[in-house]
């Protein structure tokens, strides 16, 4: 990447999105140079502004997911607001939205209407169950989609009800797919010998399908072998030994010694060469059958050591292992610092003066370090006058 050029410089995106899914997709495009214009409702804006808001007026969650964007306020319940969206879409490459299917159509902002003045417009839509099919009209958040996609059933301990992971993983994965769909359509538009049809320019991302697509061989295992995977706690079904193990200082560490060659070295390291040399344990299938025995042996060894001591021994033996980081650990980590993965900005946190706050950098890395974040999520309507003036020729 030469100079300050970014891969998506010159691409303009209109985001009609709330919460996490569509804003995550737009954030990824913005990270790599796209000009993203985020449309928010008057007064409250995106509800994410108030999620996990500990002080001030705008949450760090909003600042994170809406970085590198412009915020404008339009009231889509009014004729003027809807007309402005149509005019803006005519000057954009992509429209991203995550309303319930039928909402844009109800407002007179269907893909057909948005494409009328812009026959190259890419329209990416994210919803709970997609734009078609018998469940398409149902509302639904990522928590429900994670259940429908088979994910929730595998998270947690086998003797307890399924649990949720600590982040909105379903929304974020859908956002990744939506961003990929946008870039894919941009590439096709650029290389096509003729104008793409509306069907070709329409990207339809469903939350439940995004989760399902990450479930590895869940479905073919069931259809081929009749296997219904179950929750296995900190393990991964069919792979052993790989788990979290407690140390004598109150910490736990992750050790993933399930590779055949690594397993023998691993068992030597914890003083159990008998297990390393056992023919039944030479393959992963055998180790999975005796996973309780292996985890007990490993836990007996980690219980003799502190976290740092155990990790030093395992690293010397080249056994994959690591601590279980908290936010404080991440901020202090030299690896993240070396790749510019924590970037600091002055941010209003509700006190007299802005505070310097670190934000997670841009992934993937280009040129050895994370691309610099240009700005954190904007104040509500911060760019309304600028965008309407520069793009639509409005007066102040």
């Amino acid at each position: 990447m030469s100079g300050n050029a970014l891969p998506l410089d010159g691409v303009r995106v209109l985001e009609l999105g709330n919460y996490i899914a569509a804003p995550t997709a737009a954030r990824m495009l913005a990270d790599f140079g796209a000009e993203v214009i985020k449309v928010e409702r008057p007064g409250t804006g995106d509800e994410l502004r108030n999620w996990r808001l500990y002080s001030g007026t705008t949450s760090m969650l909003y600042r994170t997911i809406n970085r590198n964007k412009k915020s404008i306020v339009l009231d889509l319940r009014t004729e003027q607001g809807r007309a402005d969206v149509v005019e803006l879409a005519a000057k954009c490459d992509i429209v991203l939205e995550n309303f319930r299917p039928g909402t844009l159509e109800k407002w007179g902002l269907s893909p057909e209407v948005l494409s009328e003045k812009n026959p190259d417009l890419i329209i990416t839509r994210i919803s709970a169950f997609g734009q078609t099919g018998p469940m398409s009209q149902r509302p639904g958040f990522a928590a429900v989609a994670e259940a429908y996609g088979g994910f929730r059933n595998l998270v947690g301990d086998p003797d307890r009800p399924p649990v949720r992971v600590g982040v909105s993983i379903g929304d974020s994965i859908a956002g990744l797919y939506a961003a990929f769909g946008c870039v894919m359509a941009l590439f096709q538009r650029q290389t096509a010998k003729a104008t793409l049809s509306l069907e070709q320019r329409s990207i339809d991302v469903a939350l439940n399908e995004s989760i399902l697509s990450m479930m590895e061989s869940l479905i073919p295992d069931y259809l081929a072998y009749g296997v219904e995977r179950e929750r296995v706690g900190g393990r991964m079904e069919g792979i052993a030994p790989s788990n979290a193990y407690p140390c004598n200082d109150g910490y736990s560490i992750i050790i993933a010694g399930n590779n055949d060659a690594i397993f023998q070295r691993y068992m030597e390291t914890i003083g159990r060469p008998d297990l390393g040399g056992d023919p039944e344990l030479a393959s992963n299938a055998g180790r999975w059958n005796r996973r309780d025995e292996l985890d007990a042996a490993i836990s007996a060894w980690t219980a003799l050591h502190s976290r740092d001591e155990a990790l030093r021994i395992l690293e010397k033996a080249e056994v994959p292992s690591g601590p279980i980081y908290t936010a404080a650990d991440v901020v202090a980590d030299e690896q993240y610092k070396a790749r510019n993965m924590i970037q600091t900005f002055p941010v209003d946190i509700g006190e007299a003066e802005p505070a310097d706050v670190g934000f997670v950098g841009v992934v993937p890395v280009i040129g050895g370090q994370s691309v610099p974040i240009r700005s954190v999520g904007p104040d509500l309507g911060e760019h309304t006058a600028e965008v309407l003036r520069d793009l639509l020729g409005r007066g102040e």
Side-chain angles (χ1 to χ4, degrees):
M1 191 169 62
S2 61
N4 295 320
L6 290 168
L8 296 178
D9 279 349
V11 173
R12 183 177 292 133
V13 179
L14 187 64
E15 180 199 306
L16 307 175
N18 288 312
Y19 305 114
I20 293 176
T24 292
R27 186 215 80 199
M28 294 185 67
L29 301 175
D31 282 346
F32 290 101
E35 177 190 5
V36 174
I37 300 167
K38 179 180 178 69
V39 176
E40 300 189 66
R41 66 172 71 90
T44 57
D46 187 334
E47 288 183 38
L48 211 64
R49 289 181 177 275
N50 295 307
W51 285 18
R52 296 201 286 274
L53 177 62
Y54 301 107
S55 65
T57 59
T58 303
S59 70
M60 294 303 115
L61 180 59
Y62 177 92
R63 299 285 191 197
T64 297
I65 291 177
N66 293 287
R67 68 191 185 197
N68 294 329
K69 300 179 186 178
K70 297 176 179 178
S71 168
I72 69 171
V73 169
L74 295 177
D75 190 346
L76 300 189
R77 296 169 300 181
T78 68
E79 199 170 307
Q80 183 62 59
R82 295 191 292 270
D84 288 343
V85 166
V86 173
E87 282 195 61
L88 286 170
K91 298 179 182 296
C92 290
D93 298 282
I94 298 167
V95 168
L96 258 168
E97 66 100 357
N98 63 344
F99 294 112
R100 185 172 172 178
T103 300
L104 287 189
E105 285 80 357
K106 181 180 69 177
W107 287 339
L109 298 173
S110 68
E112 290 78 10
V113 170
L114 295 177
S115 295
E116 194 172 328
K117 293 183 179 179
N118 185 355
D120 287 326
L121 183 67
I122 294 160
I123 302 173
T124 299
R125 315 185 75 173
I126 306 175
S127 60
F129 301 103
Q131 302 296 317
T132 61
M135 294 178 64
S136 61
Q137 298 303 306
R138 286 196 191 185
F141 285 124
V144 176
E146 289 164 21
Y148 269 102
F151 178 71
R152 187 68 72 94
N153 187 51
L154 298 186
V155 183
D157 293 309
D159 57 344
R160 298 181 184 183
V163 299
R164 190 177 189 184
V165 298
V167 293
S168 300
I169 194 71
D171 282 317
S172 297
I173 290 173
L176 285 165
Y177 275 118
F180 174 68
C182 289
V183 173
M184 184 172 61
L186 282 172
F187 180 77
Q188 186 180 21
R189 192 182 73 176
Q190 181 178 332
T191 57
K193 299 189 187 311
T195 300
L196 301 180
S197 67
L198 178 57
E199 184 178 52
Q200 291 173 300
R201 292 181 281 111
S202 297
I203 308 298
D204 181 356
V205 179
L207 295 178
N208 66 318
E209 293 168 355
S210 298
I211 283 290
L212 179 61
S213 73
M214 291 291 176
M215 297 308 295
E216 300 174 353
S217 60
L218 177 76
I219 300 306
D221 282 347
Y222 169 69
L223 294 174
Y225 312 117
V227 172
E228 282 275 21
R229 287 185 57 186
E230 299 176 350
R231 293 184 295 286
V232 289
R235 296 166 170 154
M236 174 67 74
E237 186 167 353
I239 298 172
S242 179
N243 211 336
Y245 302 96
C247 298
N248 65 11
D249 56 359
Y251 294 103
S252 291
I253 60 174
I254 297 293
I255 313 175
N258 45 283
N259 171 279
D260 291 350
I262 291 174
F263 175 72
Q264 295 182 28
R265 192 163 67 241
Y266 184 10
M267 293 300 102
E268 292 279 351
T269 302
I270 70 168
R272 292 300 304 269
D274 56 311
L275 295 174
D278 189 326
E280 284 188 8
L281 301 176
S283 70
N284 198 65
R287 294 193 295 272
W288 177 251
N289 290 336
R290 292 169 62 181
R291 58 192 179 276
D292 290 336
E293 177 187 355
L294 291 173
D295 277 351
I298 297 162
S299 294
W301 180 79
T302 57
L304 300 175
H305 302 279
S306 69
R307 176 184 69 174
D308 292 345
E309 183 181 30
L311 290 174
R312 277 196 300 271
I313 294 169
L314 292 164
E315 182 179 359
K316 186 176 180 181
E318 297 185 347
V319 175
S321 58
I324 299 173
Y325 268 6
T326 64
D329 295 321
V330 170
V331 170
D333 185 86
E334 292 301 322
Q335 175 68 17
Y336 287 125
K337 289 179 183 177
R339 288 167 63 85
N340 199 31
M341 273 298 157
I342 305 295
Q343 301 182 25
T344 303
F345 290 82
V347 179
D348 177 14
I349 60 171
E351 298 180 357
E353 297 292 332
D356 287 336
V357 178
F359 291 82
V360 175
V362 176
V363 178
V365 162
I366 299 176
Q369 283 198 330
S370 172
V371 170
I373 298 168
R374 301 186 300 283
S375 61
V376 295
D379 293 335
L380 178 60
E382 183 177 337
H383 303 93
T384 304
E386 171 195 328
V387 169
L388 296 185
R389 179 189 67 233
D390 295 348
L391 293 186
L392 304 188
R394 303 286 168 75
E396 292 295 335

